[in-house]
Amino acid sequence: MDPVPAKVAGSTAEAPADRRRAEIIFQAAVLFDRNGYHSTSMEDIATAIGLRKPTLYHYVSSKEEILFLIHKEAISVLVARHQARQRTSMPMSHQLLEIISDILEVTGQGGSPHGRVFLEHYRELPEQYQAVIRAERVQYTRMVEDVIRAGIERGELEPVDPRITAFALIGMAVWSYQWYRVEGPLGGREIAYQFWDILLKGIARRTGTDGGPVAG
């Protein structure tokens, strides 16, 4: 079995090859999303790119490697956006909104096909590739936990279990790929705001000491 690729993107000197590899990854993601992973052949991918099949193997070693690189790219986008926010003074509660929005954008219908392949075809990865992506998913979940934990410490959030809350946030946002459509009545950002409101406020109607509703 092929070893896990050492890197997704190469050096500046390899930029033309990297651009071609990025094109291969994108077109393969489109085909996997549209036709299914098992129904897409390396020949199909080569044709979509306008390459001969032997030339395709100059850039990637196998269909399994392409699937791995698609997963790698999807999680890398989420991690990079999160890390960029850590260099700002954005409140932790608002960072949760952006995390939800990121997930909706990456995995939602009308967004990049990488995200949906990331969710649908993880089990098709060989175990060595699964181990890498599993570790990166755990890393991302811990980043979300850290935001929640910091929000609690700063008094922005209630003292909840950070891990369970992170799982709830990610699960709520990720599952939307099953039903969210870009042509629907609500955009991704609007849905993110509603999810965020539910997460921060809950849905139980609050009552005062007299049993009546509390405004706001």
Side-chain angles (χ1 to χ4, degrees):
M1 187 173 288
D2 301 320
V4 174
K7 55 187 176 181
V8 177
S11 64
T12 303
E14 299 172 326
D18 288 341
R19 286 195 294 270
R20 176 62 84 178
R21 189 176 294 110
E23 184 183 5
I24 291 167
I25 293 168
F26 179 81
Q27 291 297 336
V30 171
L31 292 174
F32 293 164
D33 185 45
R34 181 192 305 154
N35 304 326
Y37 174 72
H38 292 294
S39 297
T40 302
S41 66
M42 289 292 275
E43 187 71 47
D44 295 331
I45 297 168
T47 300
I49 301 298
L51 296 175
R52 295 176 62 249
K53 186 176 176 182
T55 306
L56 179 63
Y57 283 105
H58 176 73
Y59 298 100
V60 290
S61 63
S62 64
K63 192 168 76 166
E64 290 80 7
E65 182 187 359
I66 295 174
L67 184 61
F68 169 74
L69 294 174
I70 291 169
H71 278 73
K72 188 81 172 170
E73 187 165 317
I75 193 72
S76 293
V77 169
L78 294 174
V79 170
R81 290 185 179 184
H82 179 77
Q83 290 176 335
R85 282 193 293 271
Q86 301 315 294
R87 298 190 288 272
T88 72
S89 58
M90 183 183 294
M92 298 298 110
S93 56
H94 284 78
Q95 288 199 35
L96 296 179
L97 170 63
E98 297 307 321
I99 289 168
I100 295 169
S101 185
D102 287 346
I103 296 172
L104 285 168
E105 184 177 339
V106 169
T107 64
Q109 297 292 332
S112 168
H114 292 66
R116 295 187 298 279
V117 172
F118 175 75
L119 297 171
E120 292 278 4
H121 298 295
Y122 171 76
R123 288 180 177 82
E124 276 78 19
L125 286 168
E127 176 53 36
Q128 60 172 2
Y129 290 155
Q130 281 192 24
V132 175
I133 300 304
R134 185 163 54 244
E136 296 195 0
R137 287 184 171 191
V138 168
Q139 177 197 21
Y140 183 69
T141 301
R142 287 175 178 167
M143 289 178 175
V144 179
E145 287 180 48
D146 288 344
V147 170
I148 295 167
R149 191 172 290 109
I152 295 169
E153 292 171 355
R154 298 180 188 186
E156 295 179 37
L157 304 173
E158 293 291 334
V160 295
D161 184 310
R163 173 161 293 188
I164 295 298
T165 307
F167 286 155
L169 181 155
I170 294 170
M172 180 169 59
V174 163
W175 188 251
S176 67
Y177 91 100
Q178 289 279 4
W179 53 263
Y180 167 52
R181 296 295 181 271
V182 69
E183 67 274 11
L186 295 176
R189 188 72 176 178
E190 293 171 292
I191 293 171
Y193 267 109
Q194 292 207 27
F195 281 174
W196 184 58
D197 201 47
I198 291 168
L199 184 72
L200 266 62
K201 296 181 181 179
I203 60 173
R205 191 175 188 187
R206 288 169 288 172
T207 59
T209 56
D210 61 354
V214 174

